[in-house]
Structures are given as structure tokens and as C-alpha cells.
């Protein structure tokens, strides 16, 4: 009999800080597909897989951490939660807060926010406040709000978020039978690269759980971590905060990542790198994924693929390795980019007359 996926907390309870009495807040997140990428594999000479996190309930990887964060909020007795967001966190926090029956306040930066993401937060009943500033300003206000008022902060500075997000690494290993040689992903606030590295390390070591005692090692190794920031919003690459981050990839438009040090630790301990990719490279990778792999993502999600293409062109990508690239959010989060050509012009449908011959001619078909 097939196993019905139960959400990341129930599936990995022994490796998460929950107990038998914990009220679990879940929308069935996780269990996302690891999709073989034939075009990228052929290009690089390695086996490349895509961890398609847009298949989570609200359409992004944020749900993994949010199930743990809202569960922790409820366990602490919180009646309200708050988050700063460029979009995906707001959608996730609002949905899980609704499931838990508690209030959610969302602080978003002024302008340049995907309406697809804002609509989710509004639909779930969040109290949405647009702050005159950028994401980093929003997070600063959200932190101070949680420190001085009775609300629970659910951004990735909350360790519960990292605990939930690390489960994606568990799923990769469970699917492949061991850790990949390389793992590539976008870097914005840097919580995800932090969480993946934590998950890979825990699966490669014995892990002491508060509820289950000692657990055995599952994988024989850890991967080399490659993270990619948008060039206009690359503080880790630059070595200093970016006061005015600028990129079309709104989900990673962050100038001072909350998990900066942890991301550098993941890079250094794994022998990896954190590099930048331009908006043009991101959009080229976005088009590659849609047209060659059949995977539709929002622009920021393509940053890891953009990094692979960039480093392959430079001769830096090894052959005969196993590589996993996390694509973090669904293309319907920010769909307008799919309606533009490489030169920026709008895509228009081909108009034909109302007859089968005209349609066949437009498709380049010949008769039987």
C-alpha cells in the first residue's frame, strides 16, 4: 500500500524538536519531487536533479520552515505572529497562521513585490503593512515588534524555521540513497543554505534527539554547497551589506542576510562557494528551465541554475558527479517574466483564421 505523505514534522519527528503532546500545524508540506534534468545533465556531463519546492502548499520552500515556526508559536501560547517578507514568507506565514487559528501580521517593503505573493497573504487574512523601506528595514521592525509586544517572530532568524527547512536535505538523501556531490541553490536571507547544510550534516552524523535518543547515520558524505546571489543584491559576495539591493529576483532582493555567518559556515565547511549571477543570467536560466526541463519557477528560483550555467561556461563544473539544484518557488508566483522574450518584448499569440488548414499551416504540419 502506498504511503500517504503526512507533512515534514510527522515524517521526520525523530529529528525535529517536537514531542508526543505537540500540536502540529501542517498543510502537508514537503515530499516535493526530485526531478531529473536531462538537458542540464547532457550539458554538464553530470547527473543533475531539481528539487522542485514550488510544489509545496503555498508554492515555495518557505512552508517547510513555517510548519515548524507556527507549531512552535502555538506551543508557546502565542496568539499572533509577525514576519518581514519579500513575498513568499508572507504567503506561507498567513496560510499556516490561518490553519492554527491565530493572527498574522506581515511587513513588506514598499514597491517591487509580486502581486501573486501578496494576493496569497491577503486571501489568508493577514494584516498587511507596506513599510517605507527595504526588506532589511522590515525585518528590523519585525524583530523589535516581537521583542516589545506579544507577537511571535516567524522569519528564518527563528531557529524553528531552520529546523523545518533542513528536512529538504533529508528528502534528497532518502531519494538518492546518499548525499549528492554538489548542492546548488539561491541565496537571499541565507536561511535555506544554512538549513540544507544542517540537514546534510545531521544525516551524515549520529544525531541526538530529545524525544528518540540516538539516531544512526544515514548518508556517507556531505555535498559541496554552491550558493548564488543576484549581482545587484550580493552582500556576501561583496563582503559588506548592500544598502539599496536591486534585482528583478524579488525573493532574494536582500542586502543584509539574517543568516550571513551561517551561510559562510556552510560554504567554508563544505568546501563550496557563494557567487553572484546577473539578472540577465537569472532570466536565461528561468527560460532554460521552462523550455528545456519543463519546470516553471519564479525568477529568483533560477539563480542556482544560472550559477551552474555560468560556471559550466567557465569550465568549473566537474563531470560524472551527482548535483542537486533547489528551485525554490513556483513560476505562478511571478508569472509576467514568462510572457517576455529574451530581448524584453512581450510575447503575443499567433493569430489564425477559423479553419483547420490555417491552424495546421501555423503549426508547420502537412496532411496525412
Amino acid at each position: 500500500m502506498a504511503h500517504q505523505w503526512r507533512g515534514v514534522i510527522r515524517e521526520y519527528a525523530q529529528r525535529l524538536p517536537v514531542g508526543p503532546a505537540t500540536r502540529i500545524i501542517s498543510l502537508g508540506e514537503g515530499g516535493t519531487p526530485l526531478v531529473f534534468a536531462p538537458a542540464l545533465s547532457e550539458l554538464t556531463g553530470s547527473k543533475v536533479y531539481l528539487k522542485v519546492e514550488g510544489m509545496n502548499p503555498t508554492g515555495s520552500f518557505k512552508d517547510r520552515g513555517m510548519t515548524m515556526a507556527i507549531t512552535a508559536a502555538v506551543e508557546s501560547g502565542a496568539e499572533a505572529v509577525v514576519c518581514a517578507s519579500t513575498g513568499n514568507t508572507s504567503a506561507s506565514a498567513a496560510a499556516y497562521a490561518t490553519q492554527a487559528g491565530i493572527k498574522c501580521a506581515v511587513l513588506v517593503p514598499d514597491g517591487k513585490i509580486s502581486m501573486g505573493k501578496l494576493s496569497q497573504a491577503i486571501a489568508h487574512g493577514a494584516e498587511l503593512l507596506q513599510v517605507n523601506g527595504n526588506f532589511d528595514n522590515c525585518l528590523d521592525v519585525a524583530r523589535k515588534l516581537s521583542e516589545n509586544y506579544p507577537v511571535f517572530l516567524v522569519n528564518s532568524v527563528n531557529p524553528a524555521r531552520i529546523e523545518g527547512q533542513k528536512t529538504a536535505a533529508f528528502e534528497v538523501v532518502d531519494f538518492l540513497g546518499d548525499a549528492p556531490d554538489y548542492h546548488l541553490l539561491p541565496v537571499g536571507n541565507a536561511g535555506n543554505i544554512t538549513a540544507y547544510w544542517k540537514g546534510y550534516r545531521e544525516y551524515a552524523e549520529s544525531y541526538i534527539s530529545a524525544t528518540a535518543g540516538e539516531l544512526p547515520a544515514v548518508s556517507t558524505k556531505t555535498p559541496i554547497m554552491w550558493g548564488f546571489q543576484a549581482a545587484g543584491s550580493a552582500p556576501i559576495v561583496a563582503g559588506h551589506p548592500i544598502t539599496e539591493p536591486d534585482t528583478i529576483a524579488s525573493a532574494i532582493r536582500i542586502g543584509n542576510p539574517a543568516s550571513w555567518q551561517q551561510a559562510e559556515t556552510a560554504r567554508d565547511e563544505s568546501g563550496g562557494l557563494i557567487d553572484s549571477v546577473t539578472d540577465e543570467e537569472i532570466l536565461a536560466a528561468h527560460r532554460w528551465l521552462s523550455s528545456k526541463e519543463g519546470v516553471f519557477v519564479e525568477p529568483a528560483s533560477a539563480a542556482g541554475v544560472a550559477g551552474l550555467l555560468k560556471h559550466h561556461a567557465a569550465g568549473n563544473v566537474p563531470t560524472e558527479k551527482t548535483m542537486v539544484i533547489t528551485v525554490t518557488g513556483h513560476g505562478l508566483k511571478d508569472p509576467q517574466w514568462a510572457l517576455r522574450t529574451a530581448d524584453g518584448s512581450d510575447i503575443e499569440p499567433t493569430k489564425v483564421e477559423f479553419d483547420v488548414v490555417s491552424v495546421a499551416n501555423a503549426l508547420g504540419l502537412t496532411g496525412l
Side-chain angles (χ1 to χ4, degrees):
M1 182 177 178
H3 170 69
Q4 177 67 45
W5 185 263
R6 301 170 297 166
V8 299
I9 297 179
R10 291 185 176 94
E11 294 293 334
Y12 294 108
Q14 290 182 311
R15 295 180 178 273
L16 295 170
V18 295
T22 300
R23 179 191 166 198
I24 296 171
I25 308 302
S26 174
L27 291 169
E29 62 294 314
T32 57
L34 191 64
V35 177
F36 180 67
L40 288 172
S41 297
E42 182 179 0
L43 176 74
T44 61
S46 284
K47 285 187 177 179
V48 181
Y49 295 86
L50 304 170
K51 184 61 169 163
V52 185
E53 289 290 87
M55 298 303 289
N56 276 296
T58 74
S60 86
F61 78 96
K62 302 287 187 176
D63 294 344
R64 291 182 181 276
M66 203 57 68
T67 183
M68 274 299 308
I70 301 297
T71 293
V74 169
E75 197 162 43
S76 75
E79 296 181 0
V81 296
V82 64
C83 70
S85 178
T86 55
N88 283 327
T89 298
S90 69
S92 187
Y96 282 81
T98 296
Q99 173 76 195
I102 59 179
K103 296 178 181 179
C104 177
V106 174
L107 307 181
V108 299
D110 186 29
K112 298 183 180 179
I113 299 298
S114 162
M115 291 308 296
K117 300 170 188 178
L118 283 184
S119 66
Q120 288 180 279
I122 292 169
H124 293 305
E127 186 69 35
L128 195 67
L129 300 176
Q130 197 160 41
V131 175
N132 186 19
N134 58 29
F135 170 83
D136 304 296
N137 303 135
C138 291
L139 183 55
D140 184 51
V141 172
R143 277 173 152 164
K144 291 176 180 175
L145 195 69
S146 70
E147 291 166 0
N148 295 283
Y149 296 89
V151 293
F152 193 92
L153 182 65
V154 294
N155 279 98
S156 59
V157 293
N158 184 329
R161 281 279 306 277
I162 304 300
E163 288 295 308
Q165 286 171 213
K166 75 182 182 185
T167 60
F170 297 164
E171 290 179 24
V172 169
V173 175
D174 289 346
F175 183 90
L176 294 176
D178 205 341
D181 299 303
Y182 288 78
H183 193 113
L184 292 72
L185 72 171
V187 174
N189 213 28
N192 216 20
I193 190 171
T194 300
Y196 269 99
W197 183 238
K198 180 176 174 62
Y200 281 127
R201 287 190 62 186
E202 288 183 7
Y203 245 23
E205 301 169 352
S206 292
Y207 176 62
I208 305 301
S209 167
T211 59
E214 188 170 339
L215 296 172
V218 180
S219 56
T220 65
K221 61 185 178 182
T222 55
I224 295 169
M225 304 295 293
W226 283 11
F228 295 94
Q229 299 187 296
S233 181
I236 299 176
V237 178
H240 58 79
I242 305 297
T243 55
E244 297 292 337
D246 184 29
T247 172
I248 55 92
S250 61
I252 56 174
R253 190 189 297 125
I254 296 169
N256 191 16
S259 299
W260 186 323
Q261 290 184 335
Q262 296 93 319
E264 289 186 334
T265 297
R267 176 196 65 193
D268 297 343
E269 289 185 352
S270 72
L273 59 83
I274 295 178
D275 196 6
S276 63
V277 285
T278 66
D279 282 0
E280 291 74 21
E281 289 169 330
I282 288 171
L283 290 176
H286 176 267
R287 290 189 292 270
W288 176 292
L289 285 168
S290 297
S291 64
K292 297 187 179 184
E293 309 293 358
V295 175
F296 186 33
V297 302
E298 63 173 305
S301 299
V305 175
L308 179 67
L309 295 173
K310 173 184 175 178
H311 280 268
H312 176 264
N316 298 332
V317 175
T319 59
E320 299 183 356
K321 300 292 183 181
T322 300
M323 299 183 168
V324 171
I325 310 175
T326 298
V327 289
T328 48
H330 200 285
L332 292 177
K333 293 277 191 173
D334 214 353
Q336 72 270 23
W337 299 103
L339 301 176
R340 298 179 186 176
T341 63
D343 63 9
S345 59
D346 292 337
I347 293 175
E348 297 287 345
T350 301
K351 295 182 179 180
V352 296
E353 295 300 320
F354 177 49
D355 67 82
V356 68
V357 174
S358 296
V359 173
N361 289 339
L363 295 174
L365 301 176
T366 56
L368 297 176

